[in-house]
Amino acid sequence: MSVDTARDDGFRTATYRSDDGLTLYARDYCPEIMHLLPIICLPGLTRNSRDFHQLALLLSTDPATPRRVITLDYRGRGRSDRDANKTNYNLGVETRDVISACQHFGIDCGIFIGTSRGGLILHLLAEMRPDLIAAAILNDIGPKIEASGLKRIRNYLDVGATPSDWPEAVAFLKACHGRYFPALNEHDWQEMAAAVYRDVDDRPVADFDPAIAAQLQMIDFDKPLPDLWQYYIQLAGKPLMVIKGEYSDILSDDTLAGMKARHPRAAVLEAPGQGHAPLLHLEPIFRHIRRFIAEA
């Protein structure tokens, strides 16, 4: 199975340069739509633009109000260059890369969707370039991360499993995440595998620089994890939606309550039958996202 040839319909590929000279990759869905706010999708820690393919197709081909959707590969993920300086895999540098992407695509203001790490990047973007954000959707992430969930992600990435074929890749993802995602069907798991892995000589290979996962091994969980409440405040004046997976172990109810207290007008909803992080093209979540974007 070739991930790229199987899923290239509906978008144009694009590359742009980071401030420090890396070539970074993006998918651009319906770039000809210029009169509406575009949607920029930011993936999770080791994930890439393919995570948003189904969502981007739905939004860019909406029968009532189609929109331009841009999905990004951060440095070290997907088709973007890997960084020789591994310390550059950090939120500050990746936020600057998002700003470079907006400059390349001529985006002065847009609606941002941030999944997991993408949502953390949105916190920093709200501090560095608040003018770029017309509205934001935080997918199963907030200014405070639960240590138990981060440990689980660390352990999952530390397994280092290399599936021998695509059915084995799907089975591995089910074994790791199945208990948190009872809402997913077989096709959903296959699409997840196609997003997580790339095809190399007919074998699935994890599509990110291993140095990114290695950073998690250095976290001292005996100390409190830093939070981003000071940056979250910058989102308080903007239309905001927060999505929490029903079985999430990253975004707690206490953090969600704190987010709502600081942004009373934020739309908060739960993704039933999903954990960290929810697939946004599934119902009923997609219906709410579509409405939020239309109103924004």
Side-chain angles (χ1 to χ4, degrees):
M1 174 182 181
S2 173
V3 171
D4 296 316
T5 57
R7 306 189 181 276
D8 269 356
D9 293 340
F11 62 89
R12 298 178 188 174
T13 62
T15 59
Y16 60 99
R17 290 281 186 175
S18 67
D19 288 346
D20 53 355
L22 293 185
T23 299
L24 305 180
Y25 172 89
R27 291 179 168 191
D28 195 352
Y29 297 74
C30 284
E32 67 275 9
I33 299 176
M34 305 294 290
H35 63 290
L36 296 172
L37 286 170
I39 300 166
I40 303 94
C41 299
L42 310 179
L45 175 65
T46 59
R47 308 298 281 268
N48 57 70
S49 59
R50 298 195 298 275
D51 270 340
F52 296 101
H53 179 63
Q54 291 77 20
L55 177 69
L57 283 180
L58 289 171
L59 293 173
S60 62
T61 61
D62 186 285
T65 314
R67 288 181 185 261
R68 184 186 193 185
V69 182
I70 296 170
T71 68
L72 304 181
D73 286 358
Y74 309 134
R75 61 179 64 206
R77 290 83 156 179
R79 288 190 172 187
S80 289
D81 283 351
R82 297 190 177 188
D83 200 322
N85 181 358
K86 307 307 180 184
T87 62
N88 282 336
Y89 295 134
N90 65 70
L91 292 176
V93 171
E94 290 162 13
T95 303
R96 291 197 295 272
D97 289 345
V98 172
I99 294 172
S100 294
C102 291
Q103 293 170 342
H104 172 82
F105 289 108
I107 295 172
D108 297 322
C109 191
I111 300 169
F112 285 81
I113 301 176
T115 292
S116 195
R117 188 178 184 89
L120 299 180
I121 289 173
L122 267 180
H123 282 71
L124 270 66
L125 188 66
E127 173 72 16
M128 296 167 63
R129 286 292 305 275
D131 56 299
L132 285 175
I133 304 174
I137 297 175
L138 298 177
N139 183 20
D140 209 60
I141 195 67
K144 182 180 178 182
I145 297 175
E146 294 304 301
S148 59
L150 194 57
K151 286 180 182 178
R152 180 182 60 80
I153 294 173
R154 178 198 62 184
N155 295 340
Y156 152 66
L157 293 174
D158 192 42
V159 171
T162 303
S164 59
D165 55 30
W166 286 96
E168 188 175 317
V170 172
F172 175 71
L173 292 176
K174 284 183 180 179
C176 292
H177 308 301
R179 59 178 290 202
Y180 301 99
F181 287 89
L184 271 58
N185 60 34
E186 184 65 22
H187 184 66
D188 296 327
W189 288 109
Q190 292 172 357
E191 288 184 336
M192 183 186 293
V196 171
Y197 299 98
R198 78 158 64 190
D199 190 276
V200 178
D201 298 328
D202 294 326
R203 293 188 59 159
V205 176
D207 206 6
F208 61 90
D209 188 334
I212 297 167
Q215 290 181 345
L216 294 183
Q217 306 303 318
M218 297 184 290
I219 297 176
D220 184 356
F221 285 99
D222 291 330
K223 298 179 180 179
L225 295 175
D227 65 61
L228 298 178
W229 285 113
Q230 61 177 326
Y231 302 114
Y232 176 78
I233 297 300
Q234 304 303 317
L235 292 170
K238 301 179 183 295
L240 178 67
M241 171 179 278
V242 184
I243 298 167
K244 180 183 182 297
E246 179 183 3
Y247 301 112
S248 174
D249 55 1
I250 287 290
L251 179 59
S252 71
D253 290 337
D254 285 346
T255 298
L256 198 60
M259 295 169 73
K260 186 68 175 176
R262 291 166 174 82
H263 194 324
R265 297 178 63 187
V268 177
L269 63 149
E270 183 177 85
Q274 298 201 66
H276 182 81
L279 306 183
L280 299 180
H281 61 281
L282 301 184
E283 294 292 2
I285 295 301
F286 175 71
R287 181 170 67 252
H288 292 283
I289 290 175
R290 184 174 180 267
R291 184 183 302 120
F292 174 82
I293 289 172
E295 294 173 352

